[in-house]
Amino acid sequence: MTSRTRKRLLLVLTVVLLLASLGWNSFRAAPLPAPPAFAGELPPASPPADMALVHLPTGITRRSAGFAYRGGDFADRRDFTMSAVLVRHPRGDVLIDTGFGRDIAAHFRQMPLYFRATTRYEAAEPAADQLDASGYARERLRGILLTHAHWDHVSGVPDFAGTPVLVPAEERAFIKEGGSLTAVARGFADVVYEEYRFDGGPYLGFPASHDLYGDGSIVVVPAFGHTPGSVVVFVTLPGDRRLAFLGDLVWQLEGISERAERAWLLRMLADADADGVRENLLRVAAIAARFPEMALVPAHDARSFAALPRL
């Protein structure tokens, strides 16, 4: 081995060790700075008296708190829930995400090798089958409102043939151009996408909003970052019960309560815009501090979904 070769190998080894050290350090607790206090009030809402929602669990993946957020314990095992939520509204029901669908095994095989090698999932009954078994009338379903278009949120879309899929233009473009991360959604045939605009004013610190029915009961805000068109869905039920469906802004509640973002490696792999995720995480943290009675529902936190009624 020549001296030049030894120097090159030493340089490569040094870079690898440095990256490994940086990666490991990024799993350590490092809370984001506290955001400015939110001083506004809850926006008005007039949900219909018969409005309600139910939780449709469709499976889990096996993870840990250490995977979910900086400072989490890798020995703290977590079941990441894969769920849909049916929101009943007299002007048309909405399904927030779909969770795992009937063809989840085929969808999982479309994911990148590194993801399949590090992911174990358990499928339960798909949301469509749960609704059909309950006697649910499909014509009541106004649309599928995606928090974002990753595999575990869209897998059930083909099970609802003909039902519009509601996305902002940014997420529709991501489905078309997102590479392996949106291969599952891109492979669906005959899906009817319905793009909406954020045509409303600021909402709880977010710069814009889209009020689905004009009554304040289902309001969508742009929370771009995890994907280019990720959203947060605010739902107000009768009795002024407020919920915020966060999608994958954070994977577990501690992401908000401890202001803990994902580790560097996971941000690089999972987030399209880590700065955008950070900004929106702090927006939600400020809302949570101002309105602790609002239920926060990260898409994969089983504890949040346990508090929701089942079908």
Side-chain angles (χ1 to χ4, degrees):
M1 182 183 297
T2 66
S3 175
R4 178 176 295 181
T5 301
R6 283 197 298 270
K7 288 180 179 179
R8 286 178 177 173
L9 287 175
L10 181 60
L11 177 60
V12 169
L13 180 59
T14 301
V15 171
V16 169
L17 291 175
L18 178 60
L19 290 175
S21 176
L22 289 172
W24 179 250
N25 285 335
S26 77
F27 283 92
R28 295 179 178 176
L32 296 172
F38 180 74
E41 299 299 325
L42 286 170
S46 302
D50 54 350
M51 184 178 169
L53 61 76
V54 290
H55 165 216
L56 308 171
T58 67
I60 59 171
T61 57
R62 304 289 188 184
R63 299 295 190 187
S64 70
F67 174 90
Y69 60 92
R70 291 195 67 167
D73 185 352
F74 280 94
D76 181 0
R77 308 307 299 174
R78 302 280 177 97
D79 288 343
F80 276 33
T81 185
M82 308 291 155
S83 296
V85 171
L86 179 71
V87 184
R88 302 178 186 270
H89 193 287
R91 291 175 57 188
D93 298 346
V94 172
L95 196 68
I96 301 176
D97 291 336
T98 68
F100 291 162
R102 293 167 179 160
D103 294 327
I104 184 57
H107 298 159
F108 182 72
R109 288 195 295 270
Q110 295 180 55
M111 296 301 292
L113 177 60
Y114 76 85
F115 182 86
R116 286 182 280 122
T118 57
T119 301
R120 296 293 178 269
Y121 75 90
E122 296 177 15
E125 187 176 16
D129 292 346
Q130 294 181 51
L131 291 173
D132 290 347
S134 74
Y136 179 77
R138 290 282 192 99
E139 60 269 19
R140 288 183 52 89
L141 194 57
R142 158 74 177 85
I144 297 169
L145 181 57
L146 294 182
T147 61
H148 63 293
H150 283 162
W151 72 293
D152 48 339
H153 297 256
V154 304
S155 174
V157 164
D159 304 340
F160 294 90
T163 300
V165 177
L166 313 181
V167 293
E170 294 84 353
E171 198 69 1
R172 181 70 183 103
F174 180 56
I175 292 171
K176 295 177 181 177
E177 304 162 4
S180 62
L181 292 177
T182 54
V184 172
R186 193 164 50 254
F188 298 155
D190 304 323
V191 175
V192 178
Y193 287 101
E194 186 176 307
E195 294 183 12
Y196 58 84
R197 295 184 299 108
F198 295 103
D199 46 9
Y203 189 95
L204 288 175
F206 287 87
S209 61
H210 174 65
D211 189 335
L212 193 62
Y213 290 118
D215 58 9
S217 62
I218 304 175
V219 177
V220 191
V221 300
F224 303 164
H226 183 60
T227 68
S230 288
V231 301
V232 168
V233 182
F234 290 96
V235 175
T236 303
L237 297 175
D240 205 32
R241 183 187 176 197
R242 306 267 180 156
L243 304 97
F245 292 91
L246 305 182
D248 282 7
L249 177 63
V250 295
W251 285 330
Q252 299 280 279
L253 282 166
E254 288 88 348
I256 301 299
S257 63
E258 300 182 15
R259 302 191 307 278
E261 60 187 346
R262 286 178 269 271
W264 170 79
L265 176 61
L266 295 168
R267 293 199 302 272
M268 296 302 102
L269 292 174
D271 295 334
D273 177 7
D275 290 339
V277 172
R278 190 176 298 118
E279 179 181 0
N280 289 309
L281 186 160
L282 292 176
R283 281 194 175 112
V284 174
I287 296 169
R290 177 76 173 87
F291 305 109
E293 69 277 13
M294 181 180 293
L296 304 181
V297 189
H300 300 305
D301 196 313
R303 297 164 300 179
S304 296
F305 282 98
L308 304 183
R310 297 277 292 271
L311 183 64

